[in-house]
């Protein structure tokens, strides 16, 4: 698309885990941002080594300028964004609240990829919350942003149905699938959005539901590895294991050690089966190797 309009200036505000899959879809469609804005580098790993976010790594690999502001009150940051005359801002899983002046700055305003069928699951964890809530139907919304969270009018939506045989889906897999779906949908509407051919539709705010930020303490399970749950308790536990795959990862305490759960399923007898674990201080292994 930018080949047809080389003067179009796009800034992309991206965070994990959706940002890179969306960028890949935009790149495939020939839509390359002029500037990528992402979170600052953070200490990571056991050695707490300063590590760039995946969005920054992608930008550098694709020779795109990167900007990593801590906030939007600093005058240097304001000048950086107000002096370049951007045409469009795109926001994907970016975890900083954008002020209203910034949202309204570009010529064609600011559009957002949100991984739920708004107004359902407004908030910071729609993908993982969909799994926790046993929702087989989800999807992606492209909306025009306003000053309230996930509140703006809808440009387009696309449903994603998850088959029974693939449910409950792994959270990391659903992250990627939703990122790809959202990126392809975003790329498909940008030309018409720029051309003024789309009138966004206000959300039905009375139907809004909300999800909350996921924290590490939510991932602890109160289970006995020698007497694993069955029935509905087993199923609800499996939903949590699958929803929190990748981060924060479910765990339980056994013999004063933290045991992370990497793979689990429901057995034919309806009992939870844990297949792979990472015991504290050890490498990943079969559940039976550690508890057998």
């Amino acid at each position: 698309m930018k080949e047809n309009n080389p003067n179009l200036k796009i800034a992309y505000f991206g965070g994990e885990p959706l940002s890179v899959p969306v960028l890949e879809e935009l790149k495939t469609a020939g839509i390359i941002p002029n500037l990528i804005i992402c979170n600052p580098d953070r200490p990571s790993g056991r050695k707490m080594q300063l590590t760039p976010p995946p969005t920054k790594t992608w930008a550098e690999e694709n020779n795109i300028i990167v900007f990593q502001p801590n906030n939007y009150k600093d005058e240097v940051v304001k000048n950086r964004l107000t002096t370049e005359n951007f045409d469009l801002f795109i926001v994907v899983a970016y975890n900083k609240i954008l002020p209203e002046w910034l949202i309204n700055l570009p010529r064609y305003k600011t559009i957002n990829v949100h991984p739920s069928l708004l107004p359902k699951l407004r908030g910071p964890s729609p993908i993982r919350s969909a799994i926790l809530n046993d929702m087989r139907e989800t999807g992606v919304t492209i909306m025009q942003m306003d000053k309230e969270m996930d509140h703006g009018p809808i440009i387009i939506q696309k449903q994603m149905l998850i088959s029974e045989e693939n449910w409950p889906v792994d959270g990391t897999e659903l992250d990627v699938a939703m990122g790809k779906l959202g990126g392809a949908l975003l790329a498909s509407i940008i030309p018409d959005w720029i051309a003024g051919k789309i009138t966004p539709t206000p959300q039905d705010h009375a139907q809004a539901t909300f999800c909350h930020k996921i924290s590490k303490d939510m991932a602890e399970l109160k289970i006995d590895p020698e007497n694993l749950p069955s029935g509905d308790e087993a199923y609800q536990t499996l939903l949590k294991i699958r929803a929190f795959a990748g981060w924060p990862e479910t765990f339980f305490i056994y013999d004063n050690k933290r045991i992370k759960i990497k793979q689990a399923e429901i057995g034919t007898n309806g009992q939870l089966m844990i297949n792979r674990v990472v015991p504290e201080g050890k490498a990943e292994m079969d559940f039976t190797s550690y508890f057998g």
Side-chain angles (χ1 to χ4, degrees), residues 7-248:
N7 296 319
L8 187 69
K9 293 193 70 171
I10 298 174
Y12 180 98
F13 298 71
E16 281 56 53
L18 297 186
S19 179
V20 170
V22 170
L23 282 167
E24 285 289 348
E25 293 297 321
L26 290 178
K27 180 181 177 181
T28 298
I31 301 173
I32 308 297
N34 303 84
L35 176 69
I36 289 182
I37 299 162
C38 60
N39 295 314
D41 298 0
R42 302 290 190 201
S44 180
R46 290 186 178 180
K47 297 183 179 180
M48 297 302 286
Q49 183 175 355
L50 198 62
T51 305
T55 300
K56 179 180 179 179
T57 301
W58 189 95
E60 291 176 340
E61 290 172 350
N62 287 273
N63 300 311
I64 300 172
I65 298 169
V66 178
F67 188 39
Q68 297 173 277
N70 284 306
N71 62 70
Y72 292 94
K73 296 178 181 179
D74 186 278
E75 288 301 319
V76 174
V77 173
K78 288 184 178 181
N79 290 337
R80 177 71 176 81
L81 294 169
T82 56
T83 57
E84 290 199 36
N85 297 318
F86 284 102
D87 295 297
L88 179 68
F89 287 165
I90 296 169
V91 178
V92 180
Y94 189 62
N95 66 356
K96 287 181 170 49
I97 296 175
L98 301 185
E100 189 174 8
W101 68 263
L102 186 61
I103 291 170
N104 293 326
L105 184 64
R107 181 180 179 187
Y108 302 109
K109 306 305 179 185
T110 299
I111 58 178
N112 170 246
V113 178
H114 184 81
S116 81
L117 295 175
L118 290 171
K120 292 181 179 179
L121 295 180
R122 293 178 180 176
S125 62
I127 294 177
R128 306 309 177 96
S129 294
I131 300 173
L132 288 172
N133 293 328
D134 202 16
M135 296 170 61
R136 315 301 174 87
E137 174 188 319
T138 183
V140 172
T141 301
I142 311 296
M143 69 169 184
Q144 181 180 351
M145 287 184 67
D146 63 17
K147 63 181 180 179
E148 298 184 46
M149 179 180 287
D150 304 328
H151 177 275
I154 294 169
I155 297 171
I156 192 171
Q157 292 183 313
K158 190 166 186 178
Q159 183 187 59
M160 175 186 285
L161 295 176
I162 303 170
S163 66
E164 187 70 29
E165 63 184 22
N166 291 327
W167 186 263
V169 68
D170 180 286
T172 54
E173 294 175 357
L174 192 55
D175 286 341
V176 174
M178 295 284 266
K180 289 182 177 180
L181 177 64
L185 192 62
L186 175 65
S188 73
I189 63 92
I190 285 178
D192 283 346
W193 178 254
I194 296 300
K197 297 179 180 179
I198 300 175
T199 300
T201 303
Q203 294 185 42
D204 182 354
H205 304 301
Q207 299 300 314
T209 63
F210 299 87
C211 57
H212 302 286
K213 185 176 181 179
I214 292 170
S215 58
K216 289 183 178 181
D217 62 331
M218 295 170 65
E220 182 173 2
L221 302 177
K222 304 295 185 182
I223 59 174
D224 178 358
E226 297 177 1
N227 186 24
L228 293 171
S230 59
D232 184 64
E233 183 183 356
Y235 185 68
Q236 294 301 319
T237 302
L238 182 64
L239 288 177
K240 185 173 281 192
I241 292 169
R242 296 285 175 84
F244 293 160
W247 193 90

